[in-house]
Amino acid sequence: MCGMPQQPPIRSTPARPRRPDASMSLLTNVMDHSLDDGYAEAAARKKAAGDSGMPKTLRAKLGLAAGLVLAALVVTLGAAQARVAAPVVAKEREELVDRIDRETETADKLEDSVDELRADVSARQREALRNSGGSADSDLAGILSGAVAVHGPGVKLVVNDAKEAATGGDGDPRETSGFSDTGRVRDRDMQRVVNGLWESGAEAVSINGQRLTALSAIRAAGDAILVDNKPLVPPYTVLAVGDGQRLSTRFQNSADGLYLNALQESYGIRTGISVEDDLRLPAAPSVTVRTAQPSVEKSEKGTS
C-alpha cells in the first residue's frame, strides 16, 4: 500500500517581539552602533578626496614653518632667561632668609631685655613697698597690692561651664554658640564672684594662677574670659586667702554667692567651694605703684 511521501513538518517562525525601545530609534542606533564606525567612514572619505589636512601651497608651508620656528624661539628664549635669572632669585631668597633670621634674633634679645627690665621694676616696687613705713603696714600693702607672693588659709572656688555647654562652639572658647548666654560662664559672672570674695574678707585673690590687683580687669573676647588681657580656659579656679571658714560662710550668704547658686540651679553651671589650710598665690607680673599725697589747703593771703 503506497502512501503519500511524508513532508517534514512546516515550522512557522514566530514573529520577533517588538522591542520596548522601538520608538526610540535614534538612541537605539547610538547604543547598538559604535561611533568609531562613523569616524572611520569620515576618515576614509577625507582620504579619498585627497584632503590630508596639511598645507598644499608653498606659501602655506612657509607660513607653517615660520610659525614653528617662532614658537621654538620663544620657548628657547624663555628657558634661557629662566636659567639666567635662577641664580639671582636664589641669591635674593637667601639674603631675605638671612635678614629674617637676624631680625628674629634681634627681636628675641629685645624681648629678653624687656622681661629682665620688667622683673627689675617689679623687684624695685616690692622693695619700695617694704621700705615705705612700718613692717606690718608695708607687708599689708604688698599683699593687698599683689606685689608679693602670699600663702595662708583660705577658700578654693571652682566655677565651670555646664556640661551641655562643652559641645557648643566646636570646642573654641571664642566661637559664639546658642548656648553661650546660659550654660557658659561669662566675664560678668567672674566679676561678681571676685567682688563677692573681696567683700567677704579676702586678702588676696587669683584666677587660674593669675593674681588679681586693684587695677585688674576681667573682660570678654567672644566667649573667652580675659584677666588682664590674658585668656583663661574653664574650669576657673579661684583662690582667695583669708579666714577660711569665715570667708566661705560670708561669701555663700552674700548676694554674689546667692547669684552663683542661682546660676547653678537655673543653667547647670558647675560650682564647688572648699576651705583650704594653705593656699599659695604668686605675685602679680607687674604692679603699678601710685602714691597718694595729702591735699593741703592754701592759707589765705593777707594779714588781719
Side-chain angles (χ1 to χ4, degrees), residues 47-65:
K47 185 176 182 179
D51 187 5
S52 62
M54 298 296 293
K56 299 178 180 179
T57 63
L58 179 61
R59 184 175 181 180
K61 293 180 179 179
L62 291 176
L64 177 60

Side-chain angles (χ1 to χ4, degrees), residues 70-110:
L70 181 60
L73 181 61
V74 170
V75 173
T76 303
L77 290 177
Q81 290 179 356
R83 187 179 298 106
V84 172
V88 178
V89 173
K91 184 178 180 180
E92 292 178 351
R93 181 180 181 277
E94 184 177 357
E95 292 178 353
L96 181 59
V97 171
D98 292 340
R99 182 179 177 184
I100 292 174
D101 292 339
R102 291 194 302 269
E103 296 298 334
T104 301
E105 184 178 357
T106 302
D108 293 339
K109 292 180 179 179
L110 291 175

Side-chain angles (χ1 to χ4, degrees), residues 175-187:
E175 185 75 16
T176 303
S177 60
F179 202 75
S180 61
D181 291 334
T182 55
R184 289 193 182 276
V185 179
R186 311 296 290 176
D187 58 327

Side-chain angles (χ1 to χ4, degrees), residues 44-221:
R45 289 195 303 268
K46 192 173 183 180
K47 185 176 182 179
D51 187 5
S52 62
M54 298 296 293
K56 299 178 180 179
T57 63
L58 179 61
R59 184 175 181 180
K61 293 180 179 179
L62 291 176
L64 177 60
L68 294 176
V69 171
L70 181 60
L73 181 61
V74 170
V75 173
T76 303
L77 290 177
Q81 290 179 356
R83 187 179 298 106
V84 172
V88 178
V89 173
K91 184 178 180 180
E92 292 178 351
R93 181 180 181 277
E94 184 177 357
E95 292 178 353
L96 181 59
V97 171
D98 292 340
R99 182 179 177 184
I100 292 174
D101 292 339
R102 291 194 302 269
E103 296 298 334
T104 301
E105 184 178 357
T106 302
D108 293 339
K109 292 180 179 179
L110 291 175
E111 186 175 354
D112 294 339
S113 177
V114 169
D115 292 338
E116 293 177 359
L117 292 174
R118 183 179 290 114
D120 182 62
V121 169
S122 299
R124 291 176 181 271
Q125 289 174 345
R126 289 191 289 269
E127 184 66 23
L129 287 172
R130 283 194 293 267
N131 299 330
S132 61
S135 177
D137 293 339
S138 61
D139 291 343
L140 180 60
I143 293 174
L144 296 179
S145 64
V148 296
V150 298
H151 71 92
V155 298
K156 176 181 178 181
L157 176 63
V158 180
V159 184
N160 198 0
D161 296 337
K163 292 183 179 180
E164 293 81 359
T167 58
D170 296 330
D172 186 356
R174 296 180 182 270
E175 185 75 16
T176 303
S177 60
F179 202 75
S180 61
D181 291 334
T182 55
R184 289 193 182 276
V185 179
R186 311 296 290 176
D187 58 327
R188 56 182 176 267
D189 302 330
M190 297 308 300
Q191 290 172 4
R192 295 201 58 168
V193 167
V194 171
N195 289 334
L197 290 171
W198 286 123
E199 186 178 359
S200 300
E203 300 173 4
V205 179
S206 70
I207 303 178
N208 286 13
Q210 182 72 19
R211 180 74 175 274
L212 301 182
T213 68
L215 300 178
S216 295
I218 301 176
R219 295 290 183 265

Side-chain angles (χ1 to χ4, degrees), residues 253-268:
N253 293 332
S254 66
D256 298 313
L258 296 176
Y259 169 81
L260 188 60
N261 186 58
L263 291 179
Q264 181 179 6
E265 293 181 354
S266 300
Y267 303 115

